[in-house]
Amino acid sequence: MKNPGNVESSEPNYDRQSMVESQLKTRGIRDERVLKAMATVPRELFVQEGHRKQAYADCALPIEHEQTISQPFTVACMCQALGLTGNETVLDVGTGSGYAAAVLSCLAAKVFTIERIPELAATASDRLQQNGFSNVVVTTGDGTRGWPEHAPYDAIVVAAGGCDLPPPYVEQLRESGRIVMPLGRDNSRQNMVRFQKNNGTITREHLGTFVFVPLIGDFGWAANSP
Ligand code: SAM
């Protein structure tokens, strides 16, 4: 695991540890590296000031621009499903607060994260750099197009609910790579799906039902869809 600048010296992590014990271990998160990353990254740095006390609550929380920071269990579940070992290059679509990118930075060699709302991307980028998550690069753009400049990726994780698997992800995924993304026509409830590329063929596996904000873009929902 990397040693992000301020992580070791952050304030008491009792809530963080109890979040790991009560919300993650009890619900099937077994990957020791994921548990360690979740126990290390200070989620309070990524929530709005007024929500600091709920930073380790078992729920998503609102962030700016009507978006959310995902529930801790959701982040852990997606990270575990990627099966990262530490050497990978990961594309994270939907930077939001930057929290999931920070967790991924402890699990992979390099994280490229893309956010469609410029203000969120800028805040997340500053936050990640100031707190020592130096293997994360943030950009603004339509993440349904992936980020071709840094492809191929060993893993792609999408933190917003799409209508279908965007073709650019398949093109930008390395052989044997994995994509974890929520999908569903119902805009308020999605199935988390893990895709794997084997000999150029994509297989899919359902991981459960979750709730995400919509993935908006050329290969996602229209910005004005209900
Ligand atoms: N991973 C985030 C975190 O840890 O805070 C949670 C992000 S929130 C659930 C989903 C984010 O996806 C929102 O910030 C939203 O603006 C972003 N988003 C939606 N469509 C997108 C797209 N096409 N490209 C990039 N980001 C997108």
Side-chain angles (χ1 to χ4, degrees):
M1 183 182 293
K2 308 284 177 303
N3 183 17
N6 295 341
V7 164
E8 298 297 337
S9 62
S10 69
E11 280 304 289
N13 65 359
Y14 303 122
D15 287 344
R16 203 179 309 144
Q17 196 54 47
S18 80
M19 174 269 284
V20 168
E21 298 296 330
S22 66
Q23 299 172 33
L24 307 187
K25 289 189 179 175
T26 55
R27 289 190 186 132
I29 304 300
R30 305 257 180 277
D31 183 324
E32 287 298 335
R33 296 180 72 248
V34 172
L35 292 169
K36 192 170 176 191
M38 295 294 294
T40 302
V41 176
R43 195 167 187 262
E44 63 272 21
L45 296 179
F46 296 86
V47 302
Q48 290 182 304
E49 228 170 283
H51 288 109
R52 293 261 153 85
K53 287 196 173 127
Q54 294 107 59
Y56 296 96
D58 189 14
C59 57
L61 292 170
I63 58 172
E64 295 78 5
H65 297 274
E66 298 177 7
Q67 303 303 317
T68 54
I69 170 172
S70 301
Q71 179 192 25
F73 171 69
T74 304
V75 174
C77 194
M78 294 180 96
C79 289
Q80 177 166 271
L82 293 173
L84 300 170
T85 62
N87 301 318
E88 296 86 355
T89 299
V90 178
L91 175 65
D92 171 48
V93 177
T95 316
S97 69
Y99 175 68
V103 173
L104 287 164
S105 86
C106 302
L107 298 170
K110 193 90 192 168
V111 180
F112 294 96
T113 180
I114 180 162
E115 168 57 53
R116 67 181 282 270
I117 301 175
E119 295 83 359
L120 290 181
T123 305
S125 181
D126 290 348
R127 201 177 262 155
L128 288 159
Q129 292 312 308
Q130 281 163 17
N131 289 287
F133 298 98
S134 53
N135 58 339
V136 183
V137 182
V138 185
T139 195
T140 301
D142 176 6
T144 68
R145 297 189 153 276
W147 191 349
E149 289 81 353
H150 301 291
Y153 300 102
D154 300 289
I156 300 176
V157 60
V158 186
C163 39
D164 215 339
L165 178 63
Y169 295 175
V170 179
E171 288 154 22
Q172 293 172 31
L173 187 67
R174 199 187 288 282
E175 179 59 30
S176 303
R178 289 175 170 185
I179 300 167
V180 173
M181 89 174 276
L183 279 186
R185 294 278 157 197
D186 178 350
N187 223 355
S188 61
R189 222 170 59 112
Q190 298 90 19
N191 286 316
M192 187 85 77
V193 184
R194 174 167 54 195
F195 299 91
Q196 183 140 3
K197 192 179 196 177
N198 291 316
N199 300 322
T201 303
I202 297 289
T203 55
R204 64 167 74 195
E205 180 188 348
H206 290 263
L207 304 178
T209 304
F210 292 80
V211 178
F212 282 88
V213 297
L215 181 70
I216 294 169
D218 288 351
F219 297 98
W221 302 99
N224 55 1
S225 61

